[in-house]
Amino acid sequence: MQKITLLCVGALKFSWAKEACKDYADRLGRSLKMEIVELPAGKSREPEKQREEESQRIIAALEKRSGTAWVLDERGKEMTSEGFAKELQVAKDRGEEITFILGGAYGLNDAVRKQGRLLRLSAMTLPHELCRVVFLEQLYRATEIGKGSGYHH
């Protein structure tokens, strides 16, 4: 069973996001080993300092993990759901563990971006909590595409 980790900055605050993420995480737990790791958000009121603090936490957490990293970032490659499913299947066939990285409200620094492959969820800017929901839904969709379940039509 493939292990996938979502390494993210900050805890979910809104009940709608908590419920949606729990639902998708529960569904994913039937198909793969899914772990969501929340790192504390930075305390600085200055966006650049907060981004640096959070990025350092992410790099430290990544050093404790094996496998490949995929960084969710606006500069990343956009994929269709089918393309994402194929990429996940390739990683699964190789026996790779994957850690997906979702930064905080002010994004990530270049040091984090260099840790892995860049993946863009949307050309539009999305609120941080919505990004987590969208990502988990797309991860679930990709696993269902891989199974041929009919969830994706």
Side-chain angles (χ1 to χ4, degrees):
M1 187 178 281
Q2 185 176 27
K3 181 177 181 193
I4 293 183
T5 301
L6 174 58
L7 188 61
C8 45
V9 172
L12 295 171
K13 296 177 182 125
F14 299 109
S15 60
W16 62 266
K18 288 178 186 177
E19 290 173 26
C21 287
K22 181 180 180 335
D23 179 49
Y24 287 118
D26 289 347
R27 292 183 197 193
L28 285 160
R30 295 180 220 136
S31 304
L32 47 85
K33 288 178 77 176
M34 179 75 199
E35 179 183 22
I36 298 174
V37 177
E38 293 179 341
L39 300 173
K43 302 285 185 200
S44 178
R45 293 190 184 271
E46 296 177 43
E48 288 180 26
K49 286 184 180 179
Q50 185 172 340
R51 180 177 45 244
E52 291 304 312
E53 182 183 334
E54 293 168 354
S55 293
Q56 288 174 7
R57 285 188 185 129
I58 290 168
I59 290 171
L62 270 178
E63 289 173 354
K64 299 174 185 172
R65 303 193 173 285
S66 60
T68 58
W70 292 29
V71 182
L72 301 171
D73 186 82
E74 64 189 8
R75 298 174 188 150
K77 177 183 177 185
E78 252 182 35
M79 289 187 211
T80 64
S81 297
E82 294 91 344
F84 183 49
K86 286 177 188 173
E87 295 288 334
L88 284 177
Q89 188 62 50
V90 168
K92 182 179 179 181
D93 291 346
R94 291 182 185 155
E96 292 178 2
E97 294 182 8
I98 302 174
T99 299
F100 289 96
I101 300 163
L102 176 59
Y106 297 109
L108 304 161
N109 68 14
D110 287 337
V112 174
R113 285 188 194 96
K114 291 177 184 174
Q115 297 295 314
R117 181 177 186 175
L118 299 180
L119 174 64
R120 180 163 111 175
L121 290 178
S122 173
M124 295 181 179
T125 302
L126 302 173
H128 179 72
E129 293 197 11
L130 184 57
C131 282
R132 195 184 309 188
V133 174
V134 169
F135 171 73
L136 289 172
E137 191 282 332
Q138 285 299 302
L139 183 60
Y140 176 69
R141 181 177 297 273
T143 61
E144 293 300 299
I145 289 170
K147 291 180 194 174
S149 74
Y151 177 82
H152 177 74
H153 29 78

